[in-house]
Amino acid sequence: MYIPPLSNIVQAVPRAMVTGHIPLENTKFILNGAGVAGLFGGEEAVASIALVHVFQGRKWFGWYSSPGSYIMGMRFSQLASSAVPSLYRNKGEHIRTDLASLFEYHGRKGPKFRAVHSGTTFQETGHLAALFMKECIDRGATRIKGRETQPISVTIANLGHVPCHHESPTLYKRRAPFYAGVPILVSIGTCAACGWCEDWFSFAVILFGMIVSGMSCLVIGFGTFRFTHPEPAPGSPPGDGILGCDEGVVLLKGKEGAVNAVTRGRFSLLFEHEDARWSVTLIRVCSVALVIQAIAQLILIPQSSSFGQLMFVVSVAVSWLYNLWLWSTDKEKVQRDLLMKVIREPRLIKYILGTRTSMVIFVLLALDMDDPEDVINFLLPPNTRAWQIWKAAVIKRLRSHEKLKFDASDWDDSSLLEGERQMLETLFKDAQDAYEGFEQYREQILPCSKLQ
């Protein structure tokens, strides 16, 4: 007895439930799941484009049939919409785009910053400040002896180099672009196989995908990956300041321009052209082409033979594996490395203090200021009677550059309750522990300290 295949039964049951005339019931046009394969892998494809400016020569190796073209098309549209004119002295008009819309190289909020000389306070800084803070948090630290409640780190960053107002970071020299030869060869091979079998639907879709992907890499690659930061006003005081978050604080020491590079710098993508808006038009054309590629895959691949569909799936699968490998790259670490190259690998020294009080004293000693009152009130807002006595004693010694040594006469105040005296004694001991720890490493932190 003949038993029909299960697939035929599954397809026949729904059709048997439909009565009456069905539009297009005699057409040979079909849709199946093979064309959907090219719609997946959008985030991985975006990652491969995002590294065009990081890996040297990557822009020349995008000629393969990449999946995820619909997501890519949407991201390119966002990139074009973010474009704004940017004028540079003696260089005419350029177009600057927001990398956050495509590459996630901008958009994170950084910690609070306080300039100790000018008193300027930023409630939040930019993406690069957040990256620099993360770089400092990941560094190894020296622990300072003393009481511990909630340890907090202090990183001293000596920013000796002032970057130019705008410059292009050094690109990585790695083999990643040459590994793209694998998906390129597979795409060429599967496209040729489809042409040899005269499966023109699959042939056209794979070929069109190779062209669109390659052109998209070139268009983005011809942009200039640029770092910019505001130029300080002439005669600006030193830019020393405190960058802080819950995990710790970073003491930025250097000229105003060097500190600005961390707190107010940004990465952007600059397109230079006689008619700069032509570059935006090219990005929009790529956006439309990528969406058309996704639609073509969805409609044309089901019309091809089983062999053509297999070739298409093989081409996008190999391309997806390559994109996935690029996507696995630690993009945050890449950005941090680029930033460190821009500011020329500043000397970072990190210490761990046991309490916030000892941290504040350590920071004040590292700043070596003549009048630390504003900074101490910024870092320690509490203003009770006990705190006022403690702050007054500390500020007096710091102003006269005396050693931070304390005894019972400093906390034995009859106007205080017993609990307040005990707390005050603890605070003075924290300050003395921080001072002793600072003295141990003073030559590393502050070779020319004014302390007597």
Side-chain angles (χ1 to χ4, degrees), residues 219-236:
V219 169
I220 296 298
F222 281 126
T224 302
F225 182 65
R226 183 156 291 179
F227 165 83
T228 58
H229 72 97
E231 289 182 316
S236 298

Side-chain angles (χ1 to χ4, degrees), residues 19-144:
T19 59
H21 177 70
I22 303 175
L24 303 177
E25 61 180 337
N26 296 321
T27 184
K28 295 182 179 180
F29 182 86
I30 57 173
L31 288 173
N32 59 25
V36 183
L39 299 180
F40 297 102
E43 294 302 323
E44 293 84 352
V46 170
S48 69
I49 293 290
L51 296 174
V52 163
H53 298 91
V54 176
F55 297 128
Q56 197 168 30
R58 171 70 180 87
K59 66 182 178 182
W60 304 106
F61 293 88
W63 305 96
Y64 55 88
S65 180
S66 177
S69 57
Y70 179 79
I71 300 297
M72 283 284 295
M74 295 298 99
R75 293 292 185 89
F76 268 61
S77 178
Q78 295 172 18
L79 186 67
S81 299
S82 72
V84 294
S86 179
L87 296 177
Y88 285 90
R89 291 182 298 236
N90 303 324
K91 292 188 177 181
E93 184 178 16
H94 303 69
I95 289 293
R96 188 183 73 241
T97 57
D98 184 4
L99 287 177
S101 59
L102 184 62
F103 305 139
E104 299 178 357
Y105 280 177
H106 189 68
R108 289 177 57 181
K109 294 181 179 179
K112 189 175 183 178
F113 175 75
R114 166 80 175 212
V116 297
H117 295 290
S118 65
T120 304
T121 301
F122 299 141
Q123 293 301 321
E124 61 182 37
T125 46
H127 183 82
L128 298 189
L131 293 177
F132 190 78
M133 193 76 198
K134 186 66 167 59
E135 180 72 21
C136 294
I137 290 173
D138 289 349
R139 293 293 178 104
T142 301
R143 188 170 294 273
I144 302 298

Side-chain angles (χ1 to χ4, degrees), residues 433-451:
D433 289 339
Y435 169 74
E436 291 173 354
F438 177 83
E439 280 294 297
Q440 185 178 356
Y441 300 101
R442 181 171 61 87
E443 292 184 359
Q444 298 179 14
I445 303 170
L446 203 62
C448 300
S449 176
K450 303 170 187 175
L451 289 172

Side-chain angles (χ1 to χ4, degrees), residues 197-242:
C197 295
E198 298 184 357
D199 189 334
W200 303 116
F201 286 127
S202 296
F203 173 84
V205 169
I206 297 174
L207 180 61
F208 184 67
M210 293 170 60
I211 295 174
V212 172
S213 177
M215 291 302 299
S216 299
C217 276
L218 281 178
V219 169
I220 296 298
F222 281 126
T224 302
F225 182 65
R226 183 156 291 179
F227 165 83
T228 58
H229 72 97
E231 289 182 316
S236 298
D240 298 356
I242 302 167

